[in-house]
Amino acid sequence: MLSESDWSAIRLSIELAGITTLLLLVIGTPVAWWLARTHSAWKGAVGAVVALPIVLPPTVIGFYLLVLMGPEGPVGRLTQALGLGVLPFSFAGLVVASLFYSLPFVVQPLQNVFEAIGERPLEAAATLRASPLDRFFSVVVPLARPGYLTAAVLGFAHTIGEFGVVLMIGGNIPGETRVVSVQIYDHVEALEYAQANWLAAAMLAFSFAVLLALYTLNPSGRRR
């Protein structure tokens, strides 16, 4: 059965995924809106940067984030100057790394749904003298609800399952950076296959439940 350390890793993973998902919905919305609406020559480059975590090995992302946020990196020097210390091997560092790692899984569903809305609803709202901000929150957000559901589910699930990035940035500190994927790795290294099986089975059940909910509650998003 699951031990106390297993439950601690599960709680930490859920907390990390929840915070990351909320932040990504806030950060990803303007990025996705810009990508969906812009005709800038930079659109391709920005879209490629957003999608990089899909194709890059997680250890590559983790390595460069470790360099950037380390004591000698530009981000690390800034956080130290602000009295925040360094981010690697802390929960805050895991959140920052997860934001980069799960970014495309939130931005791309939002971009797709924003593009599908088109111009006509916004033009109709404009004729009623709605401001751009009012048009976005009164027209776009309700129409984009399926995209937000997809983005939230995928962002949360992807963060729960990450391993390479969190191991590079967070290490393996019990109760602070040891998430479920790292806990399973520890069990296997210690030849504790029964405990690893229980935790892996819980992750398998969770992943299936998430995808089942996504495909059941948002069939239009699945087809798109």
Side-chain angles (χ1 to χ4, degrees):
M1 297 296 290
L2 299 179
S3 65
E4 179 57 36
S5 61
D6 292 336
W7 284 112
S8 175
I10 290 173
R11 287 192 294 268
L12 187 66
S13 297
I14 293 174
E15 182 180 356
L16 174 64
I19 293 173
T20 299
T21 302
L22 289 176
L23 290 175
L24 279 176
L25 289 174
V26 174
I27 297 170
T29 294
V31 175
W33 182 248
W34 184 84
L35 287 171
R37 306 276 296 176
T38 187
H39 298 290
S40 169
W42 290 95
K43 178 178 180 178
V46 174
V49 170
V50 169
L52 268 179
I54 297 176
V55 297
L56 274 180
T59 48
V60 174
I61 300 173
F63 170 72
Y64 282 112
L65 288 176
L66 190 61
V67 171
L68 287 172
M69 299 191 298
E72 302 302 321
V75 177
R77 290 176 180 173
L78 176 61
T79 55
Q80 290 178 94
L82 295 174
L84 303 176
V86 291
L87 294 177
F89 309 109
S90 68
F91 182 78
L94 288 186
V95 173
V96 173
S98 298
L99 290 175
F100 282 97
Y101 186 55
S102 296
L103 181 65
F105 294 88
V106 172
V107 170
Q108 290 185 351
L110 293 180
Q111 181 184 348
N112 290 339
V113 77
F114 289 158
E115 290 174 346
I117 290 173
E119 297 287 344
R120 293 186 64 183
L122 296 174
E123 291 172 353
T127 61
L128 299 175
R129 298 183 180 179
S131 67
L133 198 61
D134 189 31
R135 292 199 296 267
F136 182 81
F137 285 104
S138 301
V139 178
V140 175
V141 171
L143 291 175
R145 196 168 298 162
Y148 275 100
L149 174 61
T150 301
V153 170
L154 290 180
F156 187 90
H158 191 254
T159 304
I160 283 282
E162 63 184 281
F163 174 71
V165 170
V166 297
L167 190 60
M168 292 285 287
I169 296 297
N172 192 359
I173 305 173
E176 188 171 350
T177 63
R178 183 186 291 173
V179 294
V180 169
S181 56
V182 177
Q183 181 75 357
I184 294 173
Y185 177 78
D186 284 350
H187 282 318
V188 173
E189 275 209 321
L191 303 180
E192 299 170 349
Y193 294 122
Q195 292 92 328
N197 180 59
W198 277 106
L199 200 52
M203 287 294 294
L204 178 62
F206 168 79
S207 301
F208 177 78
V210 165
L211 292 175
L212 180 63
L214 178 62
Y215 276 60
T216 301
L217 298 176
N218 193 16
S220 61
R222 177 195 64 195
R223 288 193 297 271
R224 181 160 50 248

